[in-house]
Amino acid sequence: MKNYNKNTVLSTVALLGVLLLAQPTAVQAETKFYLGGNIGVSTLEPRIVGPGSVDEDSDTAFKVYAGYDVGTDKHFSIEAFYADMGAAQIKTTSVEGDVGYKLFGAGLVYNKPFNDKFSGLGKIGFADVKNDATSGI
């Protein structure tokens, strides 16, 4: 099993999360439930122990989420999400393959409207990061 740089993965996930939140695409009617999704590009840099290289480190990433507005003012929501961060292609002297990352998470969302056109959004929660690897020699 390979050892990957956890800080690089978490930094990439955090940056992508911020970028994806900048342009949310949500389907929302006058209901307490909402659905949304994001798509973008991720750059993954798995750490390779020993001789080797990352041949392709960018991939398409996407996120889907669902939430429920809590209370009557729609300022607080509970939200769950799934994100696929794509995969990086690696090559070492003994292994050639892909390493992919997927996230599941949930949290609390606070939405503060400043006026009719602008609002601030804050989130706190947790995510479980899973990685998988495929190889072909």
Side-chain angles (χ1 to χ4, degrees), residues 3-5 8-9 44-48 54 57 88-90 99 101:
N3 186 12
Y4 299 101
N5 185 338
T8 301
V9 172
L44 304 170
E45 298 179 19
R47 187 177 62 156
I48 299 172
V54 177
D57 65 354
Q89 295 177 358
I90 61 171
V99 177
Y101 300 91

Side-chain angles (χ1 to χ4, degrees), residues 68-116:
Y68 180 77
D69 293 329
V70 180
T72 57
D73 60 4
K74 292 193 174 185
H75 289 302
F76 286 97
S77 301
I78 298 171
E79 192 172 282
F81 72 90
Y82 167 78
D84 186 328
M85 303 304 292
Q89 295 177 358
I90 61 171
K91 186 183 291 185
T92 67
T93 55
S94 61
V95 176
E96 184 175 327
D98 295 333
V99 177
Y101 300 91
K102 295 174 179 36
L103 292 86
F104 298 91
L108 181 65
V109 180
Y110 177 70
N111 182 11
K112 173 63 176 158
F114 299 124
N115 57 37
D116 290 342

